[in-house]
Coordinates of all heavy atoms in Angstrom, one line a residue:
M1 N -10.0 -20.3 -13.0 CA -10.2 -19.6 -11.8 C -11.4 -18.8 -11.9 O -11.5 -18.0 -12.9 CB -8.9 -18.8 -11.5 CG -9.0 -18.0 -10.2 SD -7.6 -17.0 -9.8 CE -6.2 -18.1 -10.0
N2 N -12.3 -18.8 -10.9 CA -13.5 -18.0 -11.0 C -13.2 -16.6 -10.4 O -12.1 -16.4 -9.8 CB -14.7 -18.7 -10.3 CG -14.5 -18.9 -8.8 OD1 -14.0 -18.0 -8.2 ND2 -15.0 -20.0 -8.4
N3 N -14.2 -15.7 -10.4 CA -14.0 -14.4 -9.9 C -13.7 -14.3 -8.4 O -12.9 -13.5 -8.0 CB -15.2 -13.5 -10.3 CG -15.3 -13.2 -11.7 OD1 -14.3 -13.3 -12.5 ND2 -16.4 -12.7 -12.2
T4 N -14.4 -15.2 -7.7 CA -14.1 -15.2 -6.2 C -12.7 -15.6 -5.9 O -12.1 -15.0 -5.1 CB -15.2 -16.2 -5.5 OG1 -16.5 -15.7 -5.9 CG2 -15.0 -16.2 -4.1
E5 N -12.2 -16.7 -6.6 CA -10.9 -17.1 -6.4 C -9.8 -16.1 -6.8 O -8.8 -15.8 -6.1 CB -10.6 -18.4 -7.2 CG -11.4 -19.6 -6.6 CD -11.3 -20.8 -7.6 OE1 -11.1 -20.6 -8.8 OE2 -11.5 -21.9 -7.1
A6 N -10.1 -15.4 -7.9 CA -9.2 -14.3 -8.4 C -9.2 -13.2 -7.4 O -8.1 -12.6 -7.2 CB -9.7 -13.9 -9.8
L7 N -10.3 -12.8 -6.9 CA -10.4 -11.7 -5.9 C -9.6 -12.1 -4.7 O -8.9 -11.3 -4.1 CB -11.8 -11.3 -5.6 CG -12.0 -10.2 -4.6 CD1 -11.3 -8.9 -5.1 CD2 -13.5 -9.9 -4.4
K8 N -9.8 -13.3 -4.2 CA -9.1 -13.8 -3.0 C -7.6 -13.7 -3.2 O -6.8 -13.3 -2.4 CB -9.5 -15.2 -2.6 CG -8.8 -15.8 -1.5 CD -9.0 -15.1 -0.2 CE -8.3 -15.9 1.0 NZ -7.4 -15.1 1.7
K9 N -7.1 -14.2 -4.4 CA -5.7 -14.1 -4.7 C -5.2 -12.7 -4.7 O -4.1 -12.4 -4.2 CB -5.5 -14.8 -6.1 CG -4.0 -14.9 -6.5 CD -3.8 -15.6 -7.8 CE -2.3 -15.7 -8.1 NZ -2.1 -16.5 -9.3
L10 N -5.9 -11.8 -5.3 CA -5.6 -10.4 -5.3 C -5.5 -9.8 -3.9 O -4.5 -9.1 -3.5 CB -6.6 -9.5 -6.1 CG -6.4 -8.0 -6.1 CD1 -5.1 -7.6 -6.8 CD2 -7.5 -7.3 -6.8
Q11 N -6.5 -10.1 -3.1 CA -6.5 -9.7 -1.7 C -5.3 -10.2 -0.9 O -4.7 -9.5 -0.1 CB -7.8 -10.0 -1.0 CG -8.9 -9.2 -1.5 CD -10.3 -9.7 -1.0 OE1 -10.4 -10.8 -0.5 NE2 -11.3 -8.8 -1.1
D12 N -4.9 -11.5 -1.2 CA -3.7 -12.0 -0.5 C -2.4 -11.3 -0.9 O -1.6 -11.0 -0.1 CB -3.5 -13.5 -0.9 CG -4.6 -14.4 -0.3 OD1 -5.3 -14.0 0.7 OD2 -4.7 -15.6 -0.7
I13 N -2.3 -10.9 -2.2 CA -1.2 -10.1 -2.6 C -1.2 -8.7 -2.0 O -0.2 -8.2 -1.5 CB -1.2 -10.0 -4.2 CG1 -0.9 -11.3 -4.8 CG2 -0.2 -8.9 -4.6 CD1 -1.2 -11.4 -6.3
E14 N -2.4 -8.1 -1.9 CA -2.5 -6.8 -1.3 C -2.1 -6.9 0.2 O -1.5 -6.0 0.7 CB -3.9 -6.2 -1.4 CG -4.2 -5.9 -2.9 CD -5.7 -5.6 -3.1 OE1 -6.6 -6.0 -2.4 OE2 -5.9 -4.9 -4.1
L15 N -2.5 -7.9 0.9 CA -2.1 -8.1 2.3 C -0.6 -8.2 2.4 O 0.0 -7.6 3.3 CB -2.8 -9.3 2.9 CG -2.5 -9.6 4.4 CD1 -2.9 -8.4 5.2 CD2 -3.3 -10.9 4.8
D16 N 0.0 -9.0 1.6 CA 1.5 -9.1 1.6 C 2.1 -7.7 1.4 O 3.1 -7.3 2.1 CB 2.0 -10.0 0.5 CG 1.7 -11.5 0.8 OD1 1.4 -11.8 1.9 OD2 1.8 -12.3 -0.2
I17 N 1.6 -6.9 0.5 CA 2.1 -5.5 0.3 C 1.9 -4.7 1.5 O 2.8 -3.9 2.0 CB 1.4 -4.9 -0.9 CG1 1.9 -5.6 -2.2 CG2 1.7 -3.4 -1.0 CD1 1.1 -5.2 -3.4
L18 N 0.7 -4.8 2.2 CA 0.5 -4.0 3.4 C 1.4 -4.4 4.5 O 1.9 -3.5 5.2 CB -1.0 -4.2 3.9 CG -2.0 -3.4 3.1 CD1 -3.4 -3.8 3.6 CD2 -1.8 -1.9 3.2
I19 N 1.7 -5.7 4.7 CA 2.6 -6.1 5.7 C 4.0 -5.6 5.4 O 4.7 -5.1 6.3 CB 2.6 -7.7 5.8 CG1 1.3 -8.1 6.4 CG2 3.8 -8.2 6.7 CD1 1.0 -9.6 6.3
M20 N 4.5 -5.7 4.2 CA 5.8 -5.1 3.8 C 5.8 -3.6 4.1 O 6.8 -3.1 4.7 CB 6.0 -5.4 2.3 CG 7.4 -4.9 1.8 SD 7.5 -3.1 1.4 CE 6.2 -2.8 0.4
L21 N 4.8 -2.9 3.7 CA 4.7 -1.4 3.9 C 4.8 -1.1 5.4 O 5.5 -0.3 5.9 CB 3.5 -0.8 3.3 CG 3.3 0.7 3.5 CD1 4.4 1.4 2.8 CD2 2.0 1.1 3.0
K22 N 4.0 -1.9 6.2 CA 4.0 -1.7 7.7 C 5.4 -1.9 8.2 O 5.9 -1.1 9.0 CB 3.1 -2.7 8.4 CG 3.2 -2.7 9.9 CD 2.5 -3.9 10.5 CE 3.1 -5.2 10.1 NZ 4.0 -5.8 11.1
D23 N 6.1 -3.0 7.9 CA 7.4 -3.2 8.4 C 8.4 -2.1 7.9 O 9.2 -1.7 8.7 CB 7.9 -4.6 7.9 CG 7.1 -5.8 8.5 OD1 6.4 -5.6 9.5 OD2 7.2 -6.9 7.9
F24 N 8.3 -1.7 6.7 CA 9.2 -0.7 6.2 C 9.0 0.6 6.9 O 10.0 1.3 7.3 CB 9.0 -0.5 4.7 CG 9.9 0.5 4.0 CD1 11.2 0.1 3.6 CD2 9.6 1.8 3.9 CE1 12.1 1.0 3.0 CE2 10.4 2.7 3.3 CZ 11.7 2.3 2.9
C25 N 7.7 1.0 7.1 CA 7.4 2.2 7.8 C 7.9 2.2 9.2 O 8.4 3.2 9.8 CB 6.0 2.6 7.6 SG 5.5 3.1 6.0
L26 N 7.7 1.1 9.9 CA 8.1 1.0 11.3 C 9.6 1.1 11.4 O 10.1 1.8 12.3 CB 7.7 -0.4 11.9 CG 6.2 -0.5 12.3 CD1 5.9 -1.9 12.7 CD2 5.9 0.5 13.5
Q27 N 10.3 0.5 10.5 CA 11.8 0.5 10.5 C 12.3 1.9 10.3 O 13.4 2.2 10.8 CB 12.3 -0.5 9.4 CG 13.8 -0.6 9.4 CD 14.2 -1.6 8.3 OE1 13.5 -1.9 7.4 NE2 15.5 -2.0 8.4
H28 N 11.6 2.7 9.5 CA 12.1 4.0 9.1 C 11.3 5.2 9.7 O 11.4 6.3 9.3 CB 12.1 4.1 7.6 CG 13.0 3.1 7.0 ND1 14.4 3.2 7.0 CD2 12.8 2.0 6.3 CE1 14.9 2.2 6.4 NE2 14.0 1.4 6.0
D29 N 10.5 4.9 10.8 CA 9.8 5.9 11.5 C 8.9 6.7 10.6 O 8.9 8.0 10.7 CB 10.8 6.8 12.3 CG 10.1 7.6 13.4 OD1 9.0 7.1 13.9 OD2 10.5 8.7 13.7
I30 N 8.1 6.1 9.8 CA 7.2 6.7 8.9 C 5.8 6.3 9.4 O 5.4 5.1 9.5 CB 7.4 6.3 7.5 CG1 8.7 6.7 7.0 CG2 6.2 6.8 6.6 CD1 9.1 6.1 5.6
S31 N 5.0 7.3 9.7 CA 3.6 7.1 10.1 C 2.7 6.9 8.9 O 2.8 7.6 7.9 CB 3.1 8.3 11.0 OG 3.8 8.4 12.1
W32 N 1.7 6.0 9.1 CA 0.8 5.7 8.0 C -0.5 5.1 8.6 O -0.4 4.7 9.8 CB 1.3 4.8 6.9 CG 1.6 3.4 7.5 CD1 2.6 3.0 8.3 CD2 0.8 2.2 7.3 NE1 2.5 1.7 8.6 CE2 1.4 1.2 8.0 CE3 -0.3 2.0 6.5 CZ2 0.9 -0.1 8.0 CZ3 -0.8 0.7 6.5 CH2 -0.2 -0.3 7.2
F33 N -1.6 5.1 7.9 CA -2.8 4.4 8.5 C -3.7 4.0 7.3 O -3.6 4.4 6.2 CB -3.5 5.4 9.4 CG -3.9 6.7 8.8 CD1 -5.1 6.9 8.3 CD2 -2.9 7.8 8.9 CE1 -5.4 8.2 7.8 CE2 -3.3 9.0 8.3 CZ -4.5 9.2 7.8
L34 N -4.5 3.0 7.7 CA -5.5 2.5 6.7 C -6.7 3.5 6.8 O -6.9 4.1 7.8 CB -6.0 1.1 7.2 CG -4.9 0.0 7.3 CD1 -5.6 -1.3 7.8 CD2 -4.2 -0.2 6.0
D35 N -7.4 3.5 5.7 CA -8.5 4.4 5.6 C -9.6 3.7 4.7 O -9.3 2.7 4.1 CB -8.1 5.8 5.0 CG -9.2 6.8 5.3 OD1 -9.5 7.0 6.5 OD2 -9.6 7.5 4.3
G36 N -10.7 4.3 4.5 CA -11.8 3.9 3.6 C -12.2 2.5 3.8 O -12.3 2.0 5.0
G37 N -12.4 1.8 2.7 CA -12.9 0.4 2.8 C -11.9 -0.6 3.4 O -12.3 -1.6 4.0
T38 N -10.6 -0.2 3.4 CA -9.6 -1.1 4.0 C -9.8 -1.1 5.5 O -9.8 -2.2 6.1 CB -8.2 -0.6 3.6 OG1 -8.1 -0.6 2.2 CG2 -7.1 -1.6 4.2
V39 N -9.9 0.1 6.2 CA -10.1 0.1 7.6 C -11.5 -0.5 8.0 O -11.7 -1.2 9.0 CB -9.8 1.5 8.2 CG1 -11.0 2.4 7.9 CG2 -9.6 1.4 9.7
L40 N -12.5 -0.2 7.1 CA -13.8 -0.7 7.4 C -13.8 -2.3 7.3 O -14.4 -2.9 8.2 CB -14.8 -0.2 6.4 CG -16.3 -0.7 6.5 CD1 -16.9 -0.3 7.8 CD2 -17.1 -0.1 5.4
G41 N -13.1 -2.8 6.3 CA -13.0 -4.3 6.2 C -12.3 -4.9 7.4 O -12.7 -5.9 7.9
A42 N -11.2 -4.2 7.8 CA -10.5 -4.7 9.0 C -11.3 -4.7 10.2 O -11.3 -5.7 11.0 CB -9.2 -3.9 9.2
A43 N -12.1 -3.7 10.4 CA -13.0 -3.6 11.6 C -14.2 -4.5 11.5 O -14.5 -5.2 12.5 CB -13.4 -2.2 11.9
R44 N -14.9 -4.4 10.4 CA -16.2 -5.1 10.3 C -16.1 -6.6 9.9 O -16.8 -7.4 10.3 CB -17.1 -4.4 9.3 CG -18.5 -4.9 9.2 CD -19.4 -4.0 8.4 NE -19.0 -4.0 7.0 CZ -19.5 -3.2 6.1 NH1 -20.4 -2.3 6.4 NH2 -19.1 -3.2 4.8
H45 N -15.1 -6.9 9.0 CA -15.0 -8.2 8.5 C -13.7 -9.0 9.0 O -13.5 -10.1 8.5 CB -14.9 -8.2 6.9 CG -16.2 -7.6 6.3 ND1 -17.3 -8.3 6.1 CD2 -16.4 -6.3 5.9 CE1 -18.2 -7.6 5.5 NE2 -17.7 -6.3 5.4
K46 N -13.0 -8.3 9.8 CA -11.7 -8.9 10.3 C -10.8 -9.3 9.1 O -10.1 -10.3 9.2 CB -12.0 -10.1 11.2 CG -12.9 -9.9 12.3 CD -12.4 -8.8 13.3 CE -13.4 -8.7 14.4 NZ -13.8 -7.3 14.6
G47 N -10.8 -8.5 8.1 CA -10.0 -8.7 6.9 C -10.5 -7.7 5.8 O -10.8 -6.6 6.1
F48 N -10.6 -8.2 4.6 CA -11.1 -7.4 3.5 C -12.6 -7.4 3.5 O -13.2 -8.4 3.9 CB -10.6 -7.9 2.2 CG -9.1 -7.6 2.0 CD1 -8.1 -8.5 2.4 CD2 -8.8 -6.5 1.3 CE1 -6.8 -8.2 2.1 CE2 -7.4 -6.2 1.0 CZ -6.4 -7.0 1.5
I49 N -13.2 -6.3 3.0 CA -14.6 -6.4 2.6 C -14.6 -7.4 1.5 O -13.8 -7.4 0.5 CB -15.1 -5.0 2.1 CG1 -15.1 -4.0 3.2 CG2 -16.5 -5.1 1.5 CD1 -15.4 -2.6 2.8
P50 N -15.5 -8.4 1.5 CA -15.5 -9.5 0.6 C -15.4 -9.1 -0.9 O -14.8 -9.8 -1.7 CB -16.8 -10.3 0.8 CG -17.1 -10.0 2.3 CD -16.6 -8.6 2.5
W51 N -15.9 -8.0 -1.3 CA -15.9 -7.6 -2.7 C -14.9 -6.5 -3.0 O -14.8 -6.1 -4.2 CB -17.3 -7.1 -3.2 CG -17.9 -6.1 -2.3 CD1 -17.7 -4.7 -2.4 CD2 -18.6 -6.2 -1.1 NE1 -18.3 -4.0 -1.4 CE2 -18.9 -4.9 -0.5 CE3 -19.2 -7.3 -0.4 CZ2 -19.6 -4.7 0.6 CZ3 -19.9 -7.1 0.7 CH2 -20.1 -5.8 1.3
D52 N -14.1 -6.1 -2.0 CA -13.2 -5.0 -2.2 C -11.9 -5.5 -3.0 O -11.4 -6.6 -2.7 CB -12.8 -4.4 -0.9 CG -12.3 -3.0 -1.0 OD1 -12.2 -2.4 -2.1 OD2 -11.9 -2.4 0.1
D53 N -11.4 -4.7 -3.9 CA -10.3 -5.1 -4.7 C -9.1 -4.1 -4.6 O -8.3 -4.1 -5.5 CB -10.7 -5.4 -6.1 CG -11.2 -4.1 -6.8 OD1 -11.3 -3.0 -6.2 OD2 -11.4 -4.2 -8.1
D54 N -9.1 -3.3 -3.6 CA -8.0 -2.3 -3.5 C -7.7 -2.1 -2.0 O -8.4 -2.6 -1.1 CB -8.3 -1.0 -4.2 CG -9.4 -0.2 -3.5 OD1 -10.1 -0.7 -2.6 OD2 -9.5 1.0 -3.7
V55 N -6.6 -1.4 -1.7 CA -6.3 -1.0 -0.3 C -6.2 0.5 -0.3 O -5.8 1.2 -1.3 CB -5.0 -1.7 0.2 CG1 -5.2 -3.2 0.3 CG2 -3.8 -1.4 -0.7
D56 N -6.5 1.1 0.8 CA -6.5 2.5 1.0 C -5.5 2.8 2.2 O -5.8 2.5 3.3 CB -7.9 3.1 1.4 CG -8.9 2.6 0.4 OD1 -8.8 3.0 -0.8 OD2 -9.9 1.9 0.7
V57 N -4.4 3.5 1.8 CA -3.4 3.8 2.8 C -3.2 5.3 2.7 O -3.1 5.9 1.6 CB -2.0 3.1 2.5 CG1 -0.9 3.6 3.4 CG2 -2.2 1.6 2.6
F58 N -3.1 6.0 3.9 CA -2.8 7.4 3.9 C -1.6 7.7 4.8 O -1.3 7.0 5.7 CB -4.1 8.1 4.5 CG -5.2 8.2 3.5 CD1 -5.9 7.1 3.2 CD2 -5.5 9.4 3.0 CE1 -7.0 7.2 2.3 CE2 -6.5 9.5 2.0 CZ -7.3 8.4 1.7
M59 N -1.0 8.9 4.5 CA 0.2 9.4 5.2 C 0.1 10.9 5.3 O -0.5 11.5 4.4 CB 1.5 9.0 4.5 CG 1.8 7.6 4.4 SD 3.4 7.4 3.6 CE 3.5 5.7 3.7
L60 N 0.6 11.4 6.3 CA 0.8 12.9 6.3 C 1.9 13.2 5.3 O 2.7 12.4 4.9 CB 1.3 13.3 7.7 CG 0.3 13.1 8.8 CD1 0.9 13.5 10.2 CD2 -1.0 13.8 8.6
R61 N 1.8 14.4 4.8 CA 2.7 14.8 3.7 C 4.2 14.6 4.0 O 4.9 14.1 3.2 CB 2.5 16.3 3.3 CG 3.4 16.9 2.3 CD 3.5 16.2 1.0 NE 2.2 16.2 0.3 CZ 2.0 15.7 -0.9 NH1 3.0 15.1 -1.6 NH2 0.8 15.8 -1.5
D62 N 4.6 15.0 5.2 CA 6.1 14.8 5.6 C 6.5 13.3 5.5 O 7.6 13.0 5.1 CB 6.4 15.4 6.9 CG 6.3 16.9 6.9 OD1 6.4 17.5 5.9 OD2 6.3 17.5 8.0
D63 N 5.6 12.5 6.0 CA 5.9 11.0 6.0 C 5.9 10.5 4.5 O 6.8 9.7 4.2 CB 4.9 10.3 6.8 CG 5.0 10.5 8.3 OD1 6.1 10.3 8.8 OD2 4.1 11.0 8.9
Y64 N 5.0 11.0 3.7 CA 5.0 10.6 2.3 C 6.2 11.0 1.6 O 6.9 10.3 0.8 CB 3.7 11.2 1.6 CG 3.7 11.0 0.1 CD1 3.4 9.7 -0.4 CD2 3.9 12.0 -0.7 CE1 3.4 9.5 -1.8 CE2 3.8 11.8 -2.1 CZ 3.6 10.5 -2.6 OH 3.6 10.4 -4.0
E65 N 6.7 12.3 1.8 CA 7.9 12.8 1.2 C 9.1 11.9 1.7 O 10.0 11.6 0.9 CB 8.1 14.2 1.6 CG 7.0 15.2 1.0 CD 7.0 15.2 -0.5 OE1 8.1 14.9 -1.2 OE2 6.0 15.6 -1.1
K66 N 9.1 11.6 2.9 CA 10.2 10.7 3.4 C 10.2 9.4 2.8 O 11.3 8.9 2.3 CB 10.1 10.6 5.0 CG 11.3 9.8 5.5 CD 11.2 9.7 7.1 CE 12.3 8.9 7.7 NZ 12.2 8.8 9.1
L67 N 9.0 8.8 2.7 CA 8.9 7.5 2.0 C 9.5 7.6 0.6 O 10.3 6.7 0.2 CB 7.5 7.0 2.0 CG 7.2 5.7 1.2 CD1 7.6 4.5 2.0 CD2 5.7 5.6 0.8
C68 N 9.1 8.6 -0.2 CA 9.5 8.7 -1.6 C 11.0 9.0 -1.6 O 11.7 8.5 -2.5 CB 8.8 9.9 -2.2 SG 7.0 9.6 -2.5
R69 N 11.6 9.7 -0.7 CA 13.0 10.0 -0.7 C 13.9 8.8 -0.4 O 14.9 8.7 -1.0 CB 13.2 11.1 0.4 CG 14.6 11.7 0.4 CD 14.7 12.9 1.3 NE 14.4 12.6 2.7 CZ 13.3 13.0 3.4 NH1 12.4 13.7 2.8 NH2 13.2 12.6 4.7
I70 N 13.4 7.9 0.5 CA 14.3 6.8 0.9 C 14.0 5.5 0.2 O 14.8 4.5 0.3 CB 14.3 6.6 2.4 CG1 13.0 6.1 2.9 CG2 14.7 7.9 3.1 CD1 12.9 5.7 4.4
W71 N 12.9 5.4 -0.5 CA 12.4 4.1 -1.0 C 13.5 3.4 -1.9 O 13.8 2.3 -1.6 CB 11.2 4.3 -1.8 CG 10.6 3.0 -2.3 CD1 10.8 2.4 -3.5 CD2 9.8 2.2 -1.6 NE1 10.2 1.2 -3.6 CE2 9.5 1.0 -2.4 CE3 9.2 2.2 -0.3 CZ2 8.7 0.0 -2.0 CZ3 8.4 1.2 0.1 CH2 8.2 0.1 -0.7
D72 N 14.0 4.1 -2.9 CA 14.9 3.4 -3.8 C 16.2 2.9 -3.1 O 16.8 1.9 -3.6 CB 15.3 4.3 -5.0 CG 14.1 4.5 -6.0 OD1 13.2 3.6 -6.0 OD2 14.1 5.5 -6.7
E73 N 16.6 3.6 -2.1 CA 17.8 3.2 -1.4 C 17.6 2.1 -0.4 O 18.5 1.2 -0.2 CB 18.4 4.4 -0.7 CG 19.7 4.1 0.1 CD 20.2 5.3 0.9 OE1 19.8 6.5 0.5 OE2 20.9 5.1 1.9
K74 N 16.4 2.1 0.3 CA 16.3 1.2 1.4 C 15.2 0.1 1.2 O 15.2 -0.8 2.0 CB 15.9 2.0 2.6 CG 17.0 3.1 2.9 CD 16.8 3.7 4.3 CE 17.8 4.8 4.5 NZ 19.0 4.3 5.2
A75 N 14.4 0.2 0.2 CA 13.3 -0.8 0.1 C 13.7 -2.0 -0.8 O 14.7 -1.9 -1.5 CB 12.1 -0.1 -0.5
D76 N 12.9 -3.0 -0.8 CA 13.1 -4.2 -1.7 C 12.6 -3.8 -3.1 O 11.5 -4.1 -3.5 CB 12.4 -5.4 -1.1 CG 12.4 -6.6 -2.0 OD1 13.1 -6.6 -3.1 OD2 11.7 -7.6 -1.7
T77 N 13.4 -3.1 -3.9 CA 13.0 -2.6 -5.2 C 13.0 -3.7 -6.2 O 12.5 -3.4 -7.3 CB 13.9 -1.5 -5.6 OG1 15.3 -1.9 -5.6 CG2 13.8 -0.3 -4.7
E78 N 13.4 -4.9 -5.9 CA 13.3 -6.0 -6.9 C 11.8 -6.5 -6.9 O 11.4 -7.0 -7.9 CB 14.1 -7.2 -6.4 CG 15.5 -7.2 -7.0 CD 16.3 -8.5 -6.7 OE1 15.7 -9.5 -7.1 OE2 17.4 -8.4 -6.2
H79 N 11.1 -6.3 -5.8 CA 9.7 -6.8 -5.7 C 8.7 -5.7 -5.6 O 7.5 -5.9 -5.9 CB 9.6 -7.7 -4.5 CG 10.4 -8.9 -4.6 ND1 11.6 -9.1 -4.0 CD2 10.2 -10.0 -5.4 CE1 12.1 -10.2 -4.3 NE2 11.3 -10.8 -5.1
Y80 N 9.1 -4.5 -5.2 CA 8.1 -3.4 -5.0 C 8.6 -2.1 -5.5 O 9.8 -1.8 -5.5 CB 7.9 -3.2 -3.5 CG 7.4 -4.4 -2.8 CD1 8.2 -5.2 -2.0 CD2 6.0 -4.8 -2.9 CE1 7.8 -6.4 -1.4 CE2 5.6 -6.0 -2.3 CZ 6.4 -6.7 -1.6 OH 6.0 -7.9 -0.9
S81 N 7.7 -1.3 -6.0 CA 8.0 0.1 -6.6 C 7.3 1.1 -5.8 O 6.2 0.9 -5.3 CB 7.7 0.2 -8.1 OG 8.4 -0.8 -8.8
C82 N 7.9 2.3 -5.8 CA 7.2 3.5 -5.2 C 7.1 4.4 -6.4 O 8.1 5.0 -6.8 CB 7.9 4.1 -4.1 SG 7.1 5.5 -3.4
V83 N 5.9 4.6 -7.0 CA 5.8 5.4 -8.2 C 5.0 6.7 -7.7 O 3.8 6.5 -7.2 CB 5.0 4.7 -9.3 CG1 4.8 5.6 -10.5 CG2 5.8 3.4 -9.7
R84 N 5.6 7.8 -7.9 CA 5.0 9.0 -7.4 C 4.3 9.7 -8.6 O 4.9 9.9 -9.7 CB 6.1 9.9 -6.9 CG 5.6 11.2 -6.3 CD 6.7 12.0 -5.7 NE 6.2 13.2 -5.1 CZ 6.7 13.8 -4.1 NH1 7.9 13.4 -3.6 NH2 6.2 14.9 -3.7
S85 N 3.1 10.1 -8.4 CA 2.4 10.8 -9.5 C 2.9 12.3 -9.5 O 2.9 13.0 -8.5 CB 0.9 10.8 -9.2 OG 0.2 11.5 -10.1
N86 N 3.3 12.6 -10.7 CA 3.8 14.0 -10.8 C 3.7 14.4 -12.3 O 3.0 13.7 -13.1 CB 5.2 14.2 -10.3 CG 6.3 13.3 -10.9 OD1 6.1 12.9 -12.1 ND2 7.3 12.9 -10.2
D87 N 4.5 15.4 -12.7 CA 4.4 15.8 -14.1 C 5.0 14.8 -15.1 O 4.8 14.8 -16.3 CB 5.0 17.2 -14.3 CG 6.4 17.3 -13.9 OD1 6.9 16.4 -13.2 OD2 7.1 18.2 -14.4
Q88 N 5.8 13.8 -14.6 CA 6.4 12.8 -15.4 C 5.5 11.6 -15.5 O 5.6 10.8 -16.5 CB 7.8 12.4 -14.9 CG 8.8 13.5 -15.0 CD 10.1 13.1 -14.4 OE1 10.2 12.3 -13.5 NE2 11.2 13.7 -15.0
F89 N 4.7 11.3 -14.5 CA 3.9 10.1 -14.4 C 2.5 10.5 -14.2 O 2.1 10.9 -13.1 CB 4.4 9.1 -13.3 CG 5.8 8.6 -13.5 CD1 6.8 9.2 -12.8 CD2 6.0 7.6 -14.4 CE1 8.1 8.7 -13.0 CE2 7.3 7.1 -14.6 CZ 8.4 7.7 -13.9
H90 N 1.6 10.4 -15.2 CA 0.2 10.7 -15.0 C -0.6 10.1 -16.1 O 0.0 9.7 -17.2 CB 0.0 12.2 -14.9 CG 0.4 13.0 -16.2 ND1 1.7 13.3 -16.5 CD2 -0.4 13.4 -17.2 CE1 1.7 13.9 -17.7 NE2 0.4 14.0 -18.1
N91 N -1.9 10.0 -15.9 CA -2.7 9.5 -17.0 C -2.9 10.6 -18.1 O -3.0 11.8 -17.8 CB -4.1 9.2 -16.5 CG -4.1 8.0 -15.5 OD1 -3.3 7.1 -15.7 ND2 -5.0 8.0 -14.6
Q92 N -2.8 10.2 -19.3 CA -3.0 11.2 -20.4 C -4.3 11.0 -21.1 O -4.9 10.0 -21.1 CB -1.8 10.9 -21.4 CG -0.5 11.3 -20.7 CD 0.6 11.3 -21.7 OE1 0.4 11.4 -22.9 NE2 1.9 11.2 -21.2

């Protein structure tokens, strides 16, 4: 697999994650939005920026706290995790 194919595969996975997040947030009344290169790619390229390898999602603090609070109980935790950066999880 070359770099272009690998990037496309990664972007396909990221799109699946965004769709799952959108559905979850709609179901639980959590506001969120795309930002940075993700929103630029959606507007300018009708998808991903061809060389972009991440997604940028933002939430207001109250919505983020709600997401973290209900995730383990209501989300598909077999396939997705919500890992919160705090004093237990950080780069050392």
Side-chain angles (χ1 to χ4, degrees):
M1 180 181 309
N2 66 39
N3 287 344
T4 302
E5 292 168 337
L7 181 57
K8 174 67 173 123
K9 184 175 180 178
L10 175 63
Q11 290 171 340
D12 288 344
I13 292 168
E14 291 170 339
L15 181 58
D16 288 343
I17 292 168
L18 283 174
I19 291 168
M20 181 281 309
L21 179 65
K22 172 193 65 98
D23 293 343
F24 184 86
C25 289
L26 281 172
Q27 183 180 17
H28 298 287
D29 195 32
I30 297 172
S31 297
W32 66 285
F33 55 96
L34 301 178
D35 198 56
T38 304
V39 75
L40 179 62
R44 187 171 66 188
H45 298 276
K46 308 298 183 234
F48 285 90
I49 295 173
W51 54 88
D52 201 2
D53 65 354
D54 70 344
V55 293
D56 306 299
V57 174
F58 283 73
M59 293 179 180
L60 297 175
R61 174 57 66 177
D62 288 344
D63 291 303
Y64 174 71
E65 295 294 337
K66 182 177 180 180
L67 175 78
C68 292
R69 189 174 58 251
I70 68 172
W71 185 266
D72 286 340
E73 179 184 335
K74 301 188 182 274
D76 176 3
T77 56
E78 273 190 50
H79 297 101
Y80 302 100
S81 299
C82 180
V83 179
R84 184 176 181 155
S85 177
N86 59 29
D87 60 340
Q88 293 178 329
F89 299 99
H90 63 281
N91 292 331
Q92 295 189 16

